[in-house]
């Protein structure tokens, strides 16, 4: 996901048209035809450390500030979402950092899905392949990720300007974590209007984590607390994550 200059207006993007296709493994012939560079198709296997903080989406805030387009606003239902911060130590495209925001559920044909509406990563290859494989709207940014004992400090910037800062403290003892307890099925929208569904699978060792402070420039990234965020979440180190091939959904 390419970086763009920040804007002072509330985030809006043009809604895309839906296409009617039977569920099947997704491909991106357009990108494949136009580029001869090496691609990294799904599935991906990733390991590293990270944090997940739940939110119970406030529709009044997220409808305006979570980077939803017109179609998103109509299908947005609120409910359980999350803030995630990840340090991928190994992946199919090498190590990189990630910051993402899921404002809750979006309804599509009587089924609720999660949707990543804002996401930044530190690798341009991850940007390009994330869009290509899963229609995840990644953009590139610079990360500072510092650990001092139980405290982790993370700053995210682009064009030399910091737009997100967080300080997190891990608490207590280790326990097993798995996405089977809290499954996340994503439904992302490709540029051609098609919808790609992905259910990622993860396991690892976790600890409770507490946000001690958090700030964001809302013109670039939503305010997690205003969006319905909770300051207590999970820190996982290590975790093992698989991102499978996406499926086209009618």
């Amino acid at each position: 996901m390419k970086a763009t200059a920040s804007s002072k207006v509330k985030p809006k993007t043009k809604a895309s048209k839906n296409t009617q296709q039977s569920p099947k493994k997704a491909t991106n012939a357009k990108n494949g035809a136009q580029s001869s560079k090496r691609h990294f198709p799904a599935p991906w296997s990733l390991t590293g450390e990270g944090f997940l903080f739940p939110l119970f989406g406030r529709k009044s805030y997220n409808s305006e500030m979570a980077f939803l387009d017109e179609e998103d606003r109509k299908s947005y239902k609120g409910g359980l979402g999350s803030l995630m911060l990840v340090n991928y130590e190994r992946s199919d495209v090498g190590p990189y950092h990630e910051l993402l925001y899921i404002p809750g559920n979006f309804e599509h044909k009587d089924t609720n899905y999660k949707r990543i509406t804002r996401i930044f990563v530190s690798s341009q290859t991850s940007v390009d392949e994330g869009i290509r494989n899963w229609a995840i709207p990644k953009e590139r940014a610079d990360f500072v990720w510092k650990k001092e004992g139980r405290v982790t400090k993370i700053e995210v910037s682009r064009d030399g300007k910091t737009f997100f800062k967080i300080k997190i403290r891990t608490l207590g003892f280790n326990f097993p974590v798995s996405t089977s307890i809290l499954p996340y099925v994503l439904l992302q929208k490709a540029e051609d209007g098609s919808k790609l569904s992905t259910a990622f699978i993860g396991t690892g060792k976790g600890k409770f984590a507490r946000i001690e402070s958090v700030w964001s420039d809302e013109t670039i990234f939503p305010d997690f607390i205003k969006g319905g965020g909770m300051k207590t979440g999970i820190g996982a180190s290590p975790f093992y994550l698989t991102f499978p091939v996406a499926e086209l959904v009618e």
Side-chain angles (χ1 to χ4, degrees):
M1 299 141 199
K2 59 188 181 181
T4 57
S6 62
S7 169
K8 294 300 180 182
V9 298
K10 290 184 178 179
K12 285 189 179 181
T13 55
K14 185 181 288 185
S16 55
K17 296 180 180 178
N18 295 340
T19 58
Q20 299 298 316
Q21 303 180 47
S22 299
K24 58 183 179 180
K25 299 303 182 186
T27 59
N28 192 326
K30 178 181 177 182
N31 285 357
Q34 290 183 347
S35 176
S36 60
K37 72 176 184 178
R38 183 184 176 191
H39 289 302
F40 298 85
W44 283 12
S45 295
L46 311 97
T47 63
E49 61 179 344
F51 300 94
L52 184 153
F53 294 97
L55 67 81
F56 292 92
R58 293 176 181 163
K59 293 182 70 174
S60 58
Y61 178 84
N62 289 311
S63 293
E64 294 299 320
M65 300 303 295
F67 295 80
L68 311 187
D69 64 21
E70 201 66 33
E71 181 184 5
D72 290 337
R73 291 188 184 94
K74 292 178 181 178
S75 63
Y76 178 54
K77 301 300 178 182
L80 181 64
S82 61
L83 172 75
M84 296 187 194
L85 302 110
V86 189
N87 174 15
Y88 293 111
E89 295 169 351
R90 295 182 182 177
S91 81
D92 290 59
V93 294
Y96 65 94
H97 295 96
E98 181 174 81
L99 165 69
L100 68 84
Y101 188 82
I102 298 173
N105 296 316
F106 294 81
E107 185 177 339
H108 179 67
K109 295 192 173 180
D110 300 321
T111 301
N112 283 336
Y113 297 90
K114 308 300 181 186
R115 181 167 297 154
I116 299 169
T117 62
R118 202 63 166 160
I119 176 170
F120 291 90
V121 296
S122 60
S123 160
Q124 187 60 45
T125 304
S126 177
V127 168
D128 298 337
E129 298 301 295
I131 294 171
R132 183 175 185 268
N133 290 330
W134 304 286
I136 296 175
K138 296 182 180 180
E139 299 183 45
R140 209 200 70 77
D142 298 309
F143 285 70
V144 176
W145 188 295
K146 292 183 178 179
K147 292 183 68 174
E148 301 171 355
R150 288 180 173 266
V151 174
T152 302
K153 298 177 181 178
I154 303 164
E155 294 189 10
V156 189
S157 63
R158 62 179 184 181
D159 302 324
K161 179 184 177 182
T162 299
F163 64 85
F164 181 88
K165 294 190 291 187
I166 193 167
K167 181 180 179 182
I168 303 165
R169 182 179 297 274
T170 54
L171 311 165
F173 52 87
N174 287 321
F175 51 84
V177 292
S178 172
T179 54
S180 62
I181 300 173
L182 190 66
Y184 268 41
V185 181
L186 300 176
L187 189 68
Q188 302 293 149
K189 299 186 298 183
E191 289 184 0
D192 63 3
S194 60
K195 293 181 171 62
L196 302 186
S197 175
T198 310
F200 57 87
I201 303 163
T203 59
K205 292 182 179 180
K207 287 184 176 182
F208 288 110
R210 177 78 177 172
I211 295 175
E212 294 194 342
S213 63
V214 60
W215 170 86
S216 62
D217 178 342
E218 292 174 86
T219 66
I220 302 176
F221 196 84
D223 185 307
F224 172 62
I225 302 302
K226 290 181 183 178
M230 301 179 65
K231 290 188 175 182
T232 299
I234 300 294
S237 180
F239 69 80
Y240 307 92
L241 186 66
T242 299
F243 247 85
V245 176
E247 291 189 349
L248 286 166
V249 176
E250 289 187 351

